Amino acid sequence: MNGILMNTTLLLALAGVAGLASAALYARRRQWIDALLVLVAALALGLFAAGIRLPGEAGHSLALAPDTPSPLLEGVASFSVDGDGLRAAQWNDLPALPLQWQRPEGGTLRLHHPRQLALGRTFTLRMQRDDKAEARLQLLAENGQLIAEARGSGDLAVNWMPPLAERMVLKARLLDAAGKLRAEGPVPLTIHAPDILQVQGRFGAPSFDLRSLNELLAGSGALLDWQVVLGRAITRTELPLAEMTAPNLLVVDAAWFERLGAAERSALLGRVAGGLPLLVLGANANDPGIWARSLGLALRPQAADKKAGAPLEMLAAPLNPATRTAGEWTSTDDTVWTRDWQKGRVAWLGAAGWHRHAIAEPQALALWWQGVLDHVGIDMPRQVEWLEPEELPLPGQRMELCARGVQGEAVFPDLKLRRSWKPRGDAACVAVWPGRSGWLRVEDARGGAHAVYVYAPGDWPQWQAAQRREATARYAARTPDRALAGAARAFPAWAFALAFVLAMLLLWWRERR
């Protein structure tokens, strides 16, 4: 591109110099008409090389509207759109052309929440809003009963523990400080049965904490291969209720780990390196050297009355890392330290005495332990992972449904359609046009049945506006520079060439006379 510009500039300079020199020679001989012809020819040649462009557009500008079908694009050189713009699915069907659009300010909100959740996990609904004034966010059950509420300014969030595994449509609403309704709409949610944990437990000494943990895991339906050393040559063993095909968590206490021989410890860490997560209960650790040599974990003595755990109050383990970051080990709460171990992960739980909350606060204790297990990073492999649509599905609007691990065809019984999965990156997608709001079922040979919620056109207008603004801004950003440059109309080059030829022919005729 730089070479082309340099060649054009050089040609213009040469034409100008040659034209002025020739005109000066003719003027010196008082041949004024010939001098004028030379100047006209040089000017025409220069304009021809410069590629003069006139103000205006090579085609007309088309005004777009979100409710109109895809337009005819013949002769269209640019787009214009008012208000919040178009949806991403609509922009994806249009070529990249210059866009005239003024982005509105304020008046939007965004909701963030999981569409699918395992039973026993906390459902969290977050509302991000432009208006930062004091307000209330309420979450209501299907029968209209209030189940959670949050007050405050700026972004708001509510939490709720679903009691059953079912598909439901909750409702959320936003009220201002005076109680006036500002926004409301559906919150679709599918609660599925939790994945079954397969836990191997090896412990060097019994404790009330171990008993409490055993009861928590057994109550969640986990398969337990549990062994507790009660005394010399006496071990209490609990076998799983069903065949344990692939353990996905190994829990040990520090005393059991410290008693292992070097070969046994190496074999254990080899299993962890292969991908098996290891959780160490550090309350009965006694030998800091073993942990430093085997796992690179530097432990320091803790004060006897030091507290740990939040929001539940517990005692800190007698030996814990001194800081949240200790070599390869990191912690976010001074309770659980973790590090990667090749394909697996090792976690150190530096708290004790959680059994004291088992009777008074069983639900809070279960949530705390769920957080501990989240730190461990237990991987529950799934054949198929369904991905949520990037924007709110609406009736009559193109919707893309994507998933990982699917193959063949997707069946939509409500639409009486079959669609072949099309690869896209590490997933596969199909496109459909839902006919009405509500749950849209989809079936896959590997993934089984799934459902996507289709919102009504009037649901969450502020959220739809935010998505349309974001999609329109992305479209404007991908418009190529050459398309913007092409908005001006090039003056016909043949006119400059004709003027140059006529001037040179007339000059030649006058010279031949």
Side-chain angles (χ1 to χ4, degrees), residues 279-299:
L279 172 61
V280 180
L281 310 182
N284 54 10
N286 188 54
D287 189 347
I290 288 180
W291 301 101
R293 292 190 302 270
S294 59
L295 293 174
L297 179 60
L299 299 178

Side-chain angles (χ1 to χ4, degrees), residues 393-416:
L394 296 176
Q397 299 283 351
R398 183 174 182 267
M399 180 193 79
E400 282 192 344
L401 178 63
C402 300
R404 297 188 181 99
V406 292
Q407 60 184 6
E409 290 186 331
V411 180
F412 295 85
D414 301 330
L415 303 177
K416 298 180 174 57

Side-chain angles (χ1 to χ4, degrees), residues 136-356:
R136 287 185 292 159
L137 175 61
Q138 296 181 337
L139 183 65
L140 291 82
E142 290 180 305
N143 61 4
Q145 179 183 359
L146 180 65
I147 54 179
E149 183 178 54
R151 299 170 181 262
S153 57
D155 299 345
L156 300 171
V158 292
N159 298 313
W160 175 61
M161 177 71 75
L164 299 173
E166 59 180 337
R167 182 173 293 142
M168 65 188 76
V169 181
L170 306 174
K171 179 186 286 188
R173 62 188 179 193
L174 179 68
L175 306 174
D176 62 15
K180 184 178 180 180
L181 182 65
R182 292 300 181 185
E184 72 174 345
V187 179
L189 177 62
T190 300
I191 307 298
H192 59 79
D195 297 310
I196 297 178
L197 280 175
Q198 301 185 36
V199 184
Q200 286 185 332
R202 301 292 184 264
F203 309 102
S207 70
F208 290 112
D209 279 347
L210 281 186
R211 179 178 177 181
S212 175
L213 176 58
N214 181 287
E215 292 174 352
L216 276 173
L217 293 174
S220 70
L223 297 179
L224 301 179
D225 176 4
W226 207 259
Q227 295 181 11
V228 183
V229 176
L230 302 179
R232 181 172 298 180
I234 302 176
T235 301
R236 176 183 175 273
T237 300
E238 179 180 341
L239 298 177
L241 300 178
E243 181 181 0
M244 187 178 290
T245 57
N248 45 36
L249 176 62
L250 176 59
V251 183
V252 304
D253 65 3
W256 183 85
F257 187 91
E258 290 177 357
R259 292 173 190 169
L260 291 177
E264 295 173 311
R265 195 175 296 122
S266 177
L268 172 66
L269 295 180
R271 295 179 64 193
V272 178
L276 179 64
L278 171 63
L279 172 61
V280 180
L281 310 182
N284 54 10
N286 188 54
D287 189 347
I290 288 180
W291 301 101
R293 292 190 302 270
S294 59
L295 293 174
L297 179 60
L299 299 178
R300 298 290 183 269
Q302 306 295 307
D305 58 348
K306 185 176 181 180
K307 304 297 182 181
L312 301 179
E313 186 178 275
M314 304 175 193
L315 290 174
L319 295 174
N320 265 341
T323 60
R324 288 193 174 187
T325 301
E328 297 290 330
W329 294 82
T330 60
S331 173
T332 59
D333 57 3
D334 291 326
T335 301
V336 181
W337 284 261
T338 62
R339 67 163 296 176
D340 294 330
W341 194 267
Q342 296 185 26
K343 295 181 180 180
R345 192 172 179 84
V346 185
W348 172 273
L349 176 57
W354 58 79
H355 69 277
R356 295 187 176 93

Side-chain angles (χ1 to χ4, degrees), residues 410-461:
V411 180
F412 295 85
D414 301 330
L415 303 177
K416 298 180 174 57
L417 285 178
R418 289 178 175 268
R419 289 286 187 267
S420 297
W421 292 105
K422 303 297 183 183
R424 179 177 296 177
D426 63 344
C429 302
V430 293
V432 294
W433 282 258
R436 58 183 179 82
S437 60
W439 291 105
L440 176 64
R441 292 182 299 153
V442 57
E443 299 173 357
D444 177 76
R446 297 186 66 188
H450 180 63
V452 179
Y453 189 79
V454 180
Y455 293 78
D459 289 341
W460 296 115

Side-chain angles (χ1 to χ4, degrees), residues 26-50:
Y26 281 115
R28 184 177 181 183
R29 291 184 291 177
R30 297 182 181 279
Q31 295 175 307
W32 307 112
I33 296 178
D34 294 338
L36 180 61
L37 289 174
V38 169
L39 290 175
V40 171
L43 180 61
L45 180 60
L47 294 175
F48 175 81

Side-chain angles (χ1 to χ4, degrees), residues 308-314 333 335 357 361 363-369 371:
L312 301 179
E313 186 178 275
M314 304 175 193
D333 57 3
T335 301
H357 303 280
E361 302 173 283
Q363 186 174 6
L365 179 61
L367 290 176
W368 180 79
W369 259 107

